[in-house]
Amino acid sequence: MSRRGENIYKRKDGRWEGRYIKSYSRDGKACYGYVYAKTYKEVREKYLESRQTAELFLNLQGGRDRDVRRQTSPLESGKESLNAAAEEWLGYIRKRVKESTYIRYKNIIRNHIIPEIGVLDPEKIDARMVNHYADYLLEKGKKGRSAEGLSAKYVRDIVSILKLIMQYYSSYYGRKIAVIDKLDIRREDKESAMRVLSVTEQNMLCRYLREESSFLNLGILLSLFTGIRIGELCALKWKNIRLDDSVLYIRHTMQRLQNDEAGSRVKTRILISVPKSKSSSRCIPIPEFMCTVLGEYKDSFPVEEEAYLLTWDSEKYIEPRTMQYRFKKVLQICGIEDANFHSLRHTFATRCVEAGFDIKSLSEILGHANVNITLNRYVHPSMELKRQNMSKLEGLM
């Protein structure tokens, strides 16, 4: 027997079960959710948390009045389409993710999901259809006149968002959807995905950056020997650099985002915010020679703690796009083949592996959540390192 005001029962198998109204079907019937635990106290905590979340969503949709919900939600008014589910999901997650993440999701949905498969009924989408959709994106998913395909990574991102939309639709409207977990999306050749500077190219670049002193060149050099991201570099201030302790702290990142404000004529804006993940906020040891270089700059130019590293000014900053242009210009001057600024991060990781770095330490320096990301995305063994490893076999003869 349940306690008054609670749908919590003790089951015959000894466990406790809590039941709450998760949503309402189109014909007004309640759809229930369930939580389980070994003790009454544990299940009550789960029950209250789940019930509050469900009630919050029902209130957003018009509460228990299904007629109101049918008027406010296209999904409840019989307009079954992925388009409606996607737009509703965007509204649901807007305050639950970072602004940059929301804008990325919105662009993917409105550029790729809604135009191509938005008219489909979510309940009629199956794994075969999603596989065909992924193949189409890989072959000619880019917008415009060109029939080029999207990268495999971007296609996997699109499919992941599609799954989230369908799970939302199933969970909050009690609908049955197909399982689309096992999909075969080809992977790119990781060695060709991102260029890594050779040792010769790195030496040429370092020589130029030391001979031609400037704040932007200092930033490029720092990125090459710490692996920080371009947005982290642009947001870096002198107060985040502790030369006495030979460390720098990553606490903010800079991005140029689409302006989502209605009626604004400005299409994009700069956002300086905390890093996306907890692991991205980190402390990085600075190599001794790099501390010397930073100290030389600091001794030559008076600087405030609030000043940005790239401008020596607390009010003015250099945005990532400008830094990217500067880096490509430097490569041209040095006679080095074109590369993206992010290749500095890959080059740093590769040199660290070649020097025998502990992978766990390298993973934390790069700000990765786990070592698998470091190994799979950022470690590009050079031919010289491969030769050294192969030479170890000679002792077996």
Side-chain angles (χ1 to χ4, degrees):
M1 183 174 180
S2 67
R3 301 197 180 189
R4 180 174 295 180
E6 295 179 347
N7 278 331
I8 298 178
Y9 307 84
K10 190 167 185 179
R11 295 161 52 96
K12 292 182 180 179
D13 61 5
R15 292 187 301 163
W16 287 84
E17 173 188 307
R19 187 180 76 163
Y20 62 95
I21 296 177
K22 182 171 62 175
S23 61
Y24 291 95
S25 64
R26 193 187 303 175
D27 57 6
K29 292 183 179 180
C31 299
Y32 292 95
Y34 300 87
V35 292
Y36 304 93
K38 292 181 179 180
T39 66
Y40 169 78
K41 183 178 179 181
E42 290 176 357
V43 81
R44 188 172 186 274
E45 290 177 357
K46 291 182 179 180
Y47 164 78
L48 291 175
E49 182 180 354
S50 299
R51 191 178 72 174
Q52 288 173 359
T53 301
E55 288 179 350
L56 174 62
F57 178 78
L58 289 172
N59 287 335
L60 290 172
Q61 295 300 320
R64 296 173 180 268
D65 185 351
R66 270 84 73 193
D67 292 333
V68 173
R69 290 196 295 117
R70 288 193 183 98
Q71 294 173 7
T72 58
S73 171
L75 293 174
E76 285 296 330
S77 61
K79 298 178 181 179
E80 303 294 342
S81 71
L82 189 63
N83 185 343
E87 291 291 351
E88 191 168 304
W89 179 76
L90 274 176
Y92 172 74
I93 59 105
R94 181 158 194 170
K95 293 184 178 180
R96 292 168 169 80
V97 298
K98 287 191 65 176
E99 185 177 3
S100 57
T101 303
Y102 169 77
I103 291 176
R104 176 171 162 270
Y105 287 171
K106 185 183 73 171
N107 287 337
I108 286 177
I109 287 171
R110 295 184 179 176
N111 290 335
H112 298 288
I113 294 179
I114 289 178
E116 307 297 345
I117 57 175
V119 297
L120 299 179
D121 184 337
E123 294 179 61
K124 295 180 180 178
I125 297 175
D126 56 26
R128 185 179 64 85
M129 295 171 63
V130 177
N131 257 325
H132 285 313
Y133 172 56
D135 289 341
Y136 164 79
L137 294 174
L138 288 167
E139 292 173 8
K140 44 187 176 182
K142 282 189 177 179
K143 300 301 176 185
R145 295 182 179 179
S146 66
E148 297 179 8
L150 299 170
S151 70
K153 180 185 179 303
Y154 195 54
V155 172
R156 286 194 292 273
D157 290 343
I158 294 173
V159 172
S160 295
I161 293 173
L162 173 60
K163 289 180 185 178
L164 291 173
I165 294 169
M166 293 180 65
Q167 288 167 2
Y168 165 88
Y169 172 80
S170 173
S171 175
Y172 287 99
Y173 289 93
R175 309 296 171 79
K176 189 174 181 179
I177 59 171
V179 177
I180 55 174
D181 289 335
K182 297 181 180 179
L183 299 176
D184 184 22
I185 300 175
R186 72 170 184 259
R187 294 183 175 272
E188 297 164 321
D189 178 3
K190 288 185 172 59
E191 290 193 5
S192 63
M194 176 58 68
R195 190 163 111 69
V196 174
L197 301 182
S198 68
V199 174
T200 301
E201 290 175 325
Q202 182 171 338
N203 290 336
M204 292 169 58
L205 178 61
C206 289
R207 192 179 305 115
Y208 173 81
L209 295 174
R210 289 293 285 131
E211 291 175 353
E212 300 295 329
S213 299
S214 73
F215 300 147
L216 298 190
N217 287 352
L218 174 64
I220 295 173
L221 193 65
L222 184 64
S223 296
L224 182 58
F225 286 101
T226 59
I228 60 177
R229 302 174 177 94
I230 189 171
E232 296 169 344
L233 172 65
C234 292
L236 189 65
K237 293 187 174 183
W238 270 103
K239 69 178 181 179
N240 304 128
I241 301 173
R242 294 287 178 243
L243 294 180
D244 293 341
D245 300 324
S246 300
V247 296
L248 66 84
Y249 296 91
I250 298 299
R251 295 292 181 263
H252 292 88
T253 186
M254 184 185 297
Q255 297 171 278
R256 178 169 285 280
L257 301 176
Q258 287 181 318
N259 195 353
D260 206 40
E261 296 179 7
S264 176
R265 294 183 178 180
V266 181
K267 293 183 178 180
T268 62
R269 61 187 176 85
I270 288 293
L271 175 67
I272 300 175
S273 61
V274 296
K276 184 176 181 179
S277 64
K278 187 177 180 180
S279 56
S280 292
S281 294
R282 60 199 189 278
C283 173
I284 302 176
I286 307 174
E288 186 176 346
F289 73 89
M290 197 67 234
C291 282
T292 301
V293 174
L294 288 166
E296 291 173 357
Y297 272 82
K298 194 170 185 181
D299 292 339
S300 302
F301 305 95
V303 61
E304 300 176 2
E305 288 292 285
E306 289 293 332
Y308 289 98
L309 175 74
L310 298 179
T311 62
W312 244 250
D313 191 299
S314 59
E315 301 294 331
K316 298 178 182 178
Y317 54 76
I318 297 294
E319 66 165 289
R321 186 166 54 185
T322 302
M323 199 65 207
Q324 184 74 262
Y325 291 154
R326 173 58 188 169
F327 175 64
K328 288 182 175 291
K329 183 67 175 178
V330 168
L331 292 182
Q332 289 179 353
I333 295 173
C334 295
I336 299 173
E337 184 182 345
D338 187 49
N340 191 285
F341 192 95
H342 200 68
S343 64
L344 293 175
R345 183 169 165 86
H346 285 255
T347 301
F348 168 77
T350 302
R351 294 291 103 84
C352 287
V353 171
E354 293 171 353
F357 261 55
D358 168 62
I359 295 298
K360 177 62 176 174
S361 298
L362 177 58
S363 179
E364 292 182 1
I365 289 172
L366 291 172
H368 293 156
N370 57 69
V371 295
N372 289 333
I373 298 175
T374 310
L375 289 170
N376 294 334
R377 297 184 187 175
Y378 288 86
V379 176
H380 309 267
S382 65
M383 181 56 69
E384 183 59 32
L385 182 60
K386 292 174 184 177
R387 291 185 194 278
Q388 292 175 13
N389 287 327
M390 291 297 285
S391 67
K392 296 175 183 178
L393 299 176
E394 293 180 6
L396 300 177
M397 292 297 294

